[in-house]
Amino acid sequence: MTFFQGGLSANTEGGPAPVMRKWLLLVLWIGATVPSLAQAPASAPSPSASDDWRQFRGNPALTGVATGAPPATLKLLWTFQAGDIIESSVAIAGGVVYVGAGNGDLIAVDLASGQQLWKYSTGNLIGESSPAAGPDAVYIGDLDGLVHAVSIRDGRRLWTFKTGAEIKSSPVLVAGLVVIGSYDTNLYALDSRTGRLRWKLETKGQLHATPAVQGDHLFIAGCDEIFRAIRIADGKQAYQIVSGAYTGASPALNGDRAYFGTFNDEVLALDLKGRKILWRYQNPDRKFPFYSSAALAGNRVILGGRDKAVYALDASTGKPLWTFDTRARVDSSPAVAGGRVYVGSHDGRLYVLDVATGEVRWQFDAGAAFSASPAIGGGRVVIGSQDGVLYCFG
């Protein structure tokens, strides 16, 4: 309010001049009648595109790494009742949280306050498909096989596209396309504006994982035990690497390497340039599947296992660097920011671990299982639980 300084100092004996008095009354009236301006939380984050978490795993390479870090010590800022189980991981874009609920609702919630902005009903159930937010629309798949495009402004349906089976894969946005897998064994590329089919690629098994993007190619691991590189331009397969394992997790990419866990109780590192398996990791004492998608933090591959543990593996060799045991299986995919790992467990806790050592830095007991993955945006951590509560920490 620096424009008042000259007027107030020009009349120190009799108080503000009449014109300035009118300005002051106007400002006080605005503050009293516009709550959204007068009562905005001082800690509300400023929306920044670089600090968004617009899709599953945060970025097209699916590394699970946030560009901005939350405070070292978190506190619960708000909760939101979604009305049904939340297995979908949220997207955060422009100060808005987007989440899918099991009852089929796609919900937009204000990141600063936790207030609902709009709700869109798919008319079906939503499983693990997580929303992807573009400039004008947010996209999600449902268990009836429909892909939905919804206006970010008012929650209005823009278009739908029908696949042949349920969708648990999450959409990714690249080159004007919405790319998503279906349990009908196909990977679909749809025009993001119209929903028209641009191309589809048939595989030999259900597609549960979300495709990762790097350069001119998409990369996806499938239930047919094949890891594929696919040209974005035309949907043609560039090459494949046989993993030999049924895979539900999504790959994380870093240069010429891809990392993912499998239902054969292993974590794989693939050499994309050499088109071969670089290493395999399997716990010698506990044989359990890896359903969690990996996060990449420096030379560490970090993911959860159904043996109740979180693992950090050396990205070059696959050797374990540390493990952290929870009290139930870990299907939640970790997020990484500021030297810390954020991950949920079916034991009902959200854990914050030290990236270097695996030591607990903070934890929160929600009392209900976390199978969804945390998202980090605007200096906040947001995650939904299986009892339908959306939590925001900052």
Side-chain angles (χ1 to χ4, degrees):
M1 308 292 279
T2 55
F3 60 90
F4 282 142
Q5 291 178 356
L8 290 173
S9 60
N11 190 353
T12 56
E13 292 183 4
V19 173
M20 288 298 100
R21 187 179 297 111
K22 291 179 180 179
W23 276 106
L24 286 171
L25 290 172
L26 177 61
V27 171
L28 292 172
W29 178 83
I30 291 174
T33 57
V34 186
S36 61
L37 295 177
Q39 299 174 13
S43 60
S46 300
S48 168
S50 62
D51 197 22
D52 285 342
W53 186 281
R54 288 184 168 267
Q55 64 163 79
F56 181 61
R57 310 305 295 128
N59 56 66
L62 307 187
T63 62
V65 178
T67 55
T73 301
L74 297 177
K75 63 179 181 179
L76 180 63
L77 300 179
W78 53 258
T79 62
F80 177 84
Q81 299 288 338
D84 203 351
I85 184 173
I86 300 176
E87 295 181 297
S88 170
S89 302
V90 310
I92 302 173
V96 179
V97 177
Y98 302 96
V99 66
N103 60 7
D105 288 339
L106 175 64
I107 306 169
V109 178
D110 181 70
L111 177 62
S113 66
Q115 298 298 309
Q116 179 177 302
L117 301 176
W118 52 255
K119 181 169 65 175
Y120 165 84
S121 176
T122 64
N124 304 301
L125 302 178
I126 293 177
E128 298 162 45
S129 185
S130 301
D136 301 307
V138 60
Y139 307 87
I140 197 168
D142 69 32
L143 294 182
D144 196 47
L146 279 172
V147 184
H148 300 259
V150 181
S151 170
I152 64 171
R153 294 175 179 83
D154 54 14
R156 176 175 52 88
R157 177 180 295 179
L158 299 177
W159 55 257
T160 60
F161 179 88
K162 186 74 166 70
T163 73
E166 62 191 284
I167 296 174
K168 294 187 177 182
S169 174
S170 300
V172 296
L173 306 179
V174 57
L177 301 175
V178 180
V179 184
I180 193 167
S182 171
Y183 268 44
D184 68 5
T185 76
N186 289 297
L187 183 68
Y188 291 89
L190 312 174
D191 186 286
S192 62
R193 292 176 58 254
T194 66
R196 292 179 180 175
L197 179 67
R198 295 275 289 272
W199 55 255
K200 71 175 180 178
L201 175 77
E202 185 176 5
T203 69
K204 299 178 181 178
Q206 300 167 334
L207 284 178
H208 185 100
T210 296
V213 179
Q214 186 167 266
D216 298 328
H217 292 82
L218 298 158
F219 299 85
I220 192 164
C223 299
D224 58 2
E225 305 184 358
I226 297 173
F227 177 89
R228 289 179 166 84
I230 302 158
R231 294 201 301 258
I232 295 171
D234 57 12
K236 303 297 183 183
Q237 181 172 298
Y239 62 87
Q240 68 179 39
I241 302 171
V242 177
S243 66
Y246 180 98
T247 305
S250 304
L253 304 180
N254 183 17
D256 293 329
R257 301 287 185 265
Y259 306 90
F260 56 92
T262 76
F263 274 84
N264 277 18
D265 314 331
E266 294 179 319
V267 182
L268 304 184
L270 304 187
D271 179 351
L272 303 182
K273 189 174 182 179
R275 300 181 185 180
K276 62 182 181 180
I277 296 174
L278 182 65
W279 52 254
R280 296 177 183 267
Y281 169 79
Q282 186 179 74
N283 189 318
D285 302 316
R286 303 185 295 203
K287 304 296 190 295
F288 285 86
F290 290 92
Y291 191 63
S292 165
S293 296
L296 305 182
N299 69 327
R300 286 165 165 75
V301 180
I302 303 173
L303 75 171
R306 289 197 160 173
D307 61 351
K308 308 179 184 181
V310 181
Y311 289 80
L313 309 176
D314 186 288
S316 300
T317 65
K319 293 182 179 179
L321 300 174
W322 54 257
T323 60
F324 173 79
D325 290 325
T326 76
R327 300 177 183 180
R329 71 186 190 186
V330 183
D331 286 345
S332 176
S333 302
V336 175
R340 296 179 291 276
V341 179
Y342 301 80
V343 64
S345 170
H346 272 67
D347 66 10
R349 290 175 170 83
L350 173 67
Y351 294 96
V352 180
L353 311 176
D354 186 275
V355 165
T357 65
E359 295 178 355
V360 178
R361 296 304 183 198
W362 185 86
Q363 61 180 288
F364 175 82
D365 189 356
F370 288 116
S371 57
S373 307
I376 300 174
R380 298 186 173 188
V381 182
V382 184
I383 187 172
S385 65
Q386 289 198 357
D387 65 352
V389 180
L390 189 66
Y391 293 89
C392 178
F393 305 92

